[in-house]
Amino acid sequence: MRSAAALRQALLDLLTEKAFDQITVREICARAGVHNATFFRHHADKEALLNHVAQDEIDRLVAISFAHGYSHKGFLALCDYVAARRILWRALLTGGAGGAMREELMQLSMALAAEYSDYPTWLPQELSVICSTTLIVETLSWWLKQDEGEYSSEAVADIMHELVESAVIAPRRPRAGD
């Protein structure tokens, strides 16, 4: 357990210094103070380690999201959480693991959404979850690619809230001829 925690922390520390694709297993082990064999007892490769770190982060992010619903307060809590872990989330969403992260977030969101079947939306529930999760994840990805400080957590929370409110929650506007 101690070695696994040290490996995760070493990866997080290294991500503050360089991009994920520039980090080697040897560097992770050196930073964690463990032998390469110990690393490979826990993980097949550095991507597997990143996936373990990602799973913990996804669980926390989704818990924050569902604790507040699609409210401005919820989006702000989510943005504050990501901002505090900007380097990690940037690696998770905009790096090589981005596709896997999006898929994992979608699956977890679908599972949790089943508990909130009475949430008001004009869309079928499954499509509502797909659209809202995609809007949130892509907005976070966009934000993390911007220069740090260019957009505050509050500004991004406002953007997310407006996007989800207008696309997923707001009632359908009548079309011409309806």
Side-chain angles (χ1 to χ4, degrees):
M1 293 293 276
R2 201 173 310 147
S3 295
L7 289 167
R8 287 180 180 182
Q9 189 58 52
L11 177 60
L12 293 174
D13 292 346
L14 287 165
L15 283 170
T16 66
E17 300 167 14
K18 57 174 111 178
F20 178 72
D21 61 345
Q22 296 173 340
I23 298 171
T24 66
V25 170
R26 186 178 310 267
E27 288 175 301
I28 296 168
C29 292
R31 183 69 60 98
V34 301
H35 193 272
N36 282 6
T38 302
F39 178 93
F40 290 109
R41 272 197 301 274
H42 292 277
H43 308 286
D45 52 26
K46 70 178 185 174
E47 286 77 13
L49 172 58
L50 181 64
N51 286 338
H52 287 134
V53 170
Q55 188 59 54
D56 291 343
E57 287 297 304
I58 288 170
D59 291 346
R60 288 185 188 114
L61 192 68
V62 171
I64 290 167
S65 298
F66 278 93
H68 300 286
Y70 291 123
S71 67
H72 186 271
K73 181 179 178 181
F75 289 122
L76 183 56
L78 183 143
C79 289
D80 284 344
Y81 181 83
V82 170
R85 294 155 183 77
R86 182 180 179 86
I87 293 167
L88 172 61
W89 275 99
R90 186 173 184 164
L92 294 176
L93 290 177
T94 67
M101 285 295 297
R102 285 168 174 77
E103 182 62 29
E104 184 66 29
L105 280 164
M106 188 65 70
Q107 288 176 4
L108 189 52
S109 294
M110 288 291 203
L112 288 172
E115 299 174 25
Y116 297 92
S117 59
D118 61 343
Y119 196 79
T121 178
W122 63 276
L123 292 169
Q125 183 179 353
E126 182 179 359
L127 184 56
S128 173
V129 172
I130 291 168
C131 291
S132 57
T133 302
T134 300
L135 284 169
I136 292 165
V137 170
E138 294 307 323
T139 302
L140 288 173
S141 296
W142 166 81
W143 179 36
L144 294 169
K145 291 176 186 173
Q146 308 306 308
D147 290 337
E148 191 169 357
E150 189 168 343
Y151 295 92
S152 67
S153 294
E154 179 79 29
V156 177
D158 289 344
I159 291 168
M160 277 188 207
H161 187 249
E162 288 298 320
L163 283 170
V164 172
E165 182 72 26
S166 64
V168 178
I169 298 171
R172 187 174 11 179
R173 294 175 187 91
R175 290 180 266 177
D178 281 351

